[in-house]
């Protein structure tokens, strides 16, 4: 279950970074990261009552996934 969730978070992070970049543009790193986290939390496939728990449990992984997605987008 957790492996599938991690894969989903990675894919959501890619989408979140693209959307944040298009919406906010450059020189808004903190705002873009916040927007990306909110996007991932919104679309993470867990029941709504469990989202805060999963978000807290996976917060470090979500941060890492966003950073990886940013680096991935810079290469493209």
């Amino acid at each position: 279950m957790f492996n599938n969730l991690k894969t989903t978070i990675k894919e959501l992070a890619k989408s979140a970074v693209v959307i944040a970049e298009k919406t906010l543009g450059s020189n808004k790193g903190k705002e873009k990261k916040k927007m990306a986290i909110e996007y991932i939390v919104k679309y993470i496939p867990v029941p709504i009552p469990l989202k805060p728990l999963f978000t807290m449990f996976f917060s470090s992984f979500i941060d890492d996934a966003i950073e990886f997605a940013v680096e991935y987008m810079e290469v493209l």
Side-chain angles (χ1 to χ4, degrees):
M1 177 178 146
F2 288 126
N3 286 335
N4 289 337
L5 191 56
K6 286 183 174 182
T7 300
T8 300
I9 290 170
K10 288 178 185 177
E11 293 303 316
L12 286 170
K14 289 177 186 176
S15 298
V17 167
V18 169
I19 291 168
E21 183 65 35
K22 286 182 179 179
T23 302
L24 299 175
S26 60
N27 298 325
K28 304 233 187 227
K30 288 183 182 181
E31 293 89 346
K32 288 190 285 189
K33 187 168 186 176
K34 181 180 177 198
M35 182 181 220
I37 291 170
E38 290 171 353
Y39 179 91
I40 292 168
V41 170
K42 180 177 180 180
Y43 291 104
I44 196 168
V46 296
I48 292 173
L50 298 178
K51 283 190 182 203
L53 179 64
F54 274 85
T55 302
M56 184 176 62
F57 185 71
F58 283 99
S59 66
S60 177
F61 185 80
I62 290 170
D63 285 344
D64 290 345
I66 291 170
E67 293 301 322
F68 176 79
V70 168
E71 290 174 14
Y72 176 79
M73 299 310 287
E74 288 176 353
V75 172
L76 295 179

